[in-house]
Amino acid sequence: MEETNSVPNAAHAAGTNVRDRRTAWWTESRFGMFIHWGLYAIPAQGEWIMYGQKIPVHEYEKLAQQFNPTEFDARVWVSLAKEAGMRYIVITAKHHDGFAMYHSKTDPFNIVDRTPFRRDPLKELAEACREAGMVLCFYYSHVIDWHHPHAVHKEHNNTWDYKLEEKRFSEYWEGKAKPQLKELLTEYGRVGLLWFDTAGGLSEEDSKAIVQHVRSLQPDCLINSRVSHYMGMGDYVSKGDNEIGMSGEDTRPWETPMTLNQSWGYTTRDQIWKTADALIQKLVNVIGKGGNLLLNVGPTPQGTIPELSVERLREVGAWVRRNAEAIYGTEGSPFPCEPDWGAITAKPGRLYLHIHNAKWPADGLRLCGIRNKILRAYPLADPNQAGIAALQSYDGNLDLHTLTLHLPPQPTDQHVSVIVLELEAENDFDRMLTQIPDGIFQLDIPHAAIHILREADEEQGLPALRSAGWTFKLIEPGTYEIMLVSFKRYDQQWSDLYPEPLLVETAGQNIVKDLMEDAADEHSPSCQHPYTAVLSRIGRVTWNEAGMQTLVIGSSKIKDPSPRFTEIWHADPVKLRAIRLMRVEDGAVKG
C-alpha cells in the first residue's frame, strides 16, 4: 500500500491492521520447511529437467506411470519438520511441469489419476499437519506450465510441443490455474499461504485478479510477492532463490527460500551440502534482519526425505530447541549495522546476541546503542543461567551508550552461542547508524541515501550513474582500509563487471579506483550459490576524531531504490552490496 502526503485515513489504518493480523502467525514462526516433490524426482536431475532437455509432453507423461512412492508417510515428514524446529510446510502442489501432486478434478494429469500410487499425498499431509499443529501451505506455479498448450510466460515456455503464436493464455488461466487454486483452497482445510512462483509477463490486471480469487476463497491465506512481478503485491516479500537480503533492505515481512544443497528437486548430481554450522549461521542471519527462513528438501521417488537432509535438519533442530526463545516471535536487530560476530534478535524487555563460535570474542564484547539498564546477562543454553558481567557506560560528547560483556573463555553452545540481555523498562535503543566496536564496520546499501548522478543514455550505451551516501557515528578514530563488498555470479569474469572506476568521497578525500577481485569472503553468512562474495580494496582513509562522518560512493551498479518491477535474483552478473571499513593498527588491517 502506497503512502501519500495526506492525513492517514481509517481505511488505510484498517488495511494495515488486517495485513498485520494475517501475517502475525507467519512472522512469529520464523522457520519453515519447503518441499519440492514431483515426477522430476525419477530422473533425479532437478525440477527443470523437462525444460532443460526439451522433453516432449507425451514422453514426460510416461514418468507418471513409474511414480509409485509407496514409502511416503505424511506423519514422518511432519514429525521431521517439527523436530527441525519448523512451524509450517510449503509443498509443491503443482510445479512448472504442470503435474498436480494431488487429486485435481480440473486436470487428469495428477498423482491419483495417472500414477500407480493412486493416493493424494496432500490430503494425507493436511491431516498429519492438523494432528501435529503444523500449518500446511501450497506452492503453485501459476504462470509456467510446460504441459498445458496455452500457458504463456515471459520467456520459459514449452515451444517444442506448442507454437507460441497459437497460445491463448486465458484458456489456461481460466480453465486450469484458477480452478486448481479453488480446489486447493476448498478441499484441504486451512491453507496458511500460497507460494506462487515466476510471474514473468503476467499483467497487472491478472495479478490483481488472482489475489482477489484467493481472498474470496480463504481471506486469511497469505500470498507471497512472487504472485506478480509488479512491486508491492502479496502479503510479504519472497526473496530470490537462496537470496539473503542486506540489513534494512525490506520494510515488509520477508523470507529467504533456501536449499540444503544447490538444488530444489531430488537429484543425485548435486552433493554440495551445507553443514549444520552454516545452516544455523544463515538462520540467525536471516532472523537477525527480521526475516523468515524457508529451508527446502527434495524427497526421493520412493517418497522419503534423503538421509543426509534428515541428518542436517535434526542437527539444526537440536540447536533451535535450545534457543527457541531467541527465534520464535522475535523481531530483527534494532540496530542498522550488522555485527561481524553474528546477529541480534529482540523481544520486549530482551535482546539476544547470536555469536558465531568461530568468532567468539573471548576477551569481551562491546555493543553500542542500548539505553536501557541491563538487569541480567546469561547464556541461553545454560540451564543454570550463569550470570555474565555487564558494564554500561555513557559518553555525553558522542551521546553514546556502550555495553561491555565479560564473556566466558569458551562458547556456551554448539555452532552459535546465544547471550540473553534482560532489559529494564520498555526497549529503548539508539537506532542511528553507529560503528560496532572491535570488528568490521559495514555500510549496507539500503542505509544509504541514493541520488542520480547521470541518467542512462541508451544511444551512447551508458547506464545510469548513482551515488550512495551514508552518515554514521564513528566511535574509534584512526586509519581504515575501505573495501567494496560485491557478490559475483559464479559464471562471470571479473574484468567484465565494473566498466568504470568507483568514486569515493570521505574525510576530505576523493578516491577514483579501478576495482579488482582482491579477496574472497568465504565465510559470508549472506552469500551463497550462485554468487561468491568478493572484496575489492579501494584505499585507506584517516578520521582523526570520533563523531559524525559521511562517506559517498558513485557507481553504475547502485540500483534504483524504487523499481517498478521485481528482479530475478540471479539475473545480475554482479551485485554491489556494501562498503566495509576495517581498522588499521600498526600497519596491519584488523579483522
Side-chain angles (χ1 to χ4, degrees), residues 228-243:
S228 177
H229 58 277
Y230 287 87
M231 296 294 289
M233 298 288 283
D235 297 294
Y236 69 91
V237 175
S238 184
K239 308 294 286 185
D241 296 354
N242 293 303
E243 176 190 5

Side-chain angles (χ1 to χ4, degrees), residues 320-579:
V320 168
R321 282 192 296 278
R322 292 193 298 273
N323 297 283
E325 179 188 320
I327 299 168
Y328 306 122
T330 61
E331 297 179 352
S333 173
F335 310 117
C337 188
E338 186 178 342
D340 175 51
W341 41 258
I344 300 171
T345 57
K347 282 182 178 177
R350 297 198 171 196
L351 272 186
Y352 303 94
L353 313 182
H354 302 250
I355 305 172
H356 299 171
N357 286 0
K359 296 188 176 182
W360 183 256
D363 55 349
L365 182 148
R366 289 191 293 163
L367 183 65
C368 298
I370 304 174
R371 296 190 180 112
N372 301 79
K373 178 182 178 182
I374 305 298
L375 299 176
R376 197 160 63 110
Y378 57 89
L380 184 55
D382 180 2
N384 299 317
Q385 297 186 355
I388 294 173
L391 176 65
Q392 292 180 271
S393 61
Y394 177 69
D395 184 331
N397 292 327
L398 292 177
D399 187 22
L400 184 70
H401 295 262
T402 302
L403 167 68
T404 302
L405 292 175
H406 298 285
L407 299 174
Q410 299 295 326
T412 57
D413 199 356
Q414 290 182 302
H415 309 298
V416 172
S417 300
V418 179
I419 304 300
V420 183
L421 303 179
E422 293 185 358
L423 312 178
E424 184 178 63
E426 294 184 6
N427 293 3
D428 186 10
F429 307 121
D430 182 351
R431 299 175 186 268
M432 180 178 292
L433 186 56
T434 300
Q435 179 184 13
I436 294 180
D438 305 325
I440 293 169
F441 180 31
Q442 187 156 300
L443 305 171
D444 288 323
I445 286 290
H447 294 302
I450 309 294
H451 299 285
I452 284 281
L453 300 178
R454 178 191 71 209
E455 297 286 354
D457 188 332
E458 294 184 6
E459 290 186 5
Q460 297 294 322
L462 294 174
L465 184 67
R466 295 184 177 89
S467 68
W470 296 267
T471 299
F472 57 92
K473 186 183 293 185
L474 185 81
I475 65 173
E476 294 183 335
T479 299
Y480 286 79
E481 183 86 52
I482 305 177
M483 307 191 83
L484 184 75
V485 181
S486 305
F487 285 6
K488 184 188 76 168
R489 207 171 65 202
Y490 74 99
D491 57 355
Q492 297 297 305
Q493 295 296 318
W494 182 261
S495 58
D496 301 328
L497 300 182
Y498 282 94
E500 76 282 308
L502 186 78
L503 313 176
V504 181
E505 179 181 344
T506 189
Q509 297 183 37
N510 290 288
I511 302 172
V512 180
K513 179 70 173 180
D514 287 315
L515 298 171
M516 304 295 290
E517 189 174 3
D518 293 313
D521 186 356
E522 298 177 353
H523 302 291
S524 168
S526 296
C527 189
Q528 51 197 336
H529 181 78
Y531 289 91
T532 56
V534 172
L535 303 177
S536 302
R537 294 188 182 92
I538 297 170
R540 292 186 176 184
V541 64
T542 300
W543 287 288
N544 293 315
E545 295 182 356
M548 300 307 298
Q549 306 291 347
T550 60
L551 188 148
V552 180
I553 64 171
S555 173
S556 64
K557 298 301 179 183
I558 298 171
K559 294 280 190 179
D560 180 354
S562 302
R564 186 182 179 198
F565 301 103
T566 58
E567 66 173 26
I568 299 173
W569 162 243
H570 56 267
D572 286 339
V574 70
K575 296 178 182 291
L576 192 161
R577 298 275 292 191
I579 287 289

Side-chain angles (χ1 to χ4, degrees), residues 210-268:
I210 206 70
V211 169
Q212 182 55 39
H213 183 58
V214 174
R215 295 273 186 259
S216 69
L217 296 166
Q218 285 205 31
D220 289 335
C221 177
L222 301 184
I223 300 169
N224 71 333
S225 59
R226 293 196 193 189
V227 69
S228 177
H229 58 277
Y230 287 87
M231 296 294 289
M233 298 288 283
D235 297 294
Y236 69 91
V237 175
S238 184
K239 308 294 286 185
D241 296 354
N242 293 303
E243 176 190 5
I244 298 179
M246 295 172 277
S247 172
E249 186 170 15
D250 294 287
T251 56
R252 299 170 65 199
W254 63 274
E255 73 176 0
T256 289
M258 184 190 299
T259 59
L260 279 163
N261 49 358
Q262 294 182 356
S263 305
W264 300 90
Y266 176 71
T267 174
T268 55

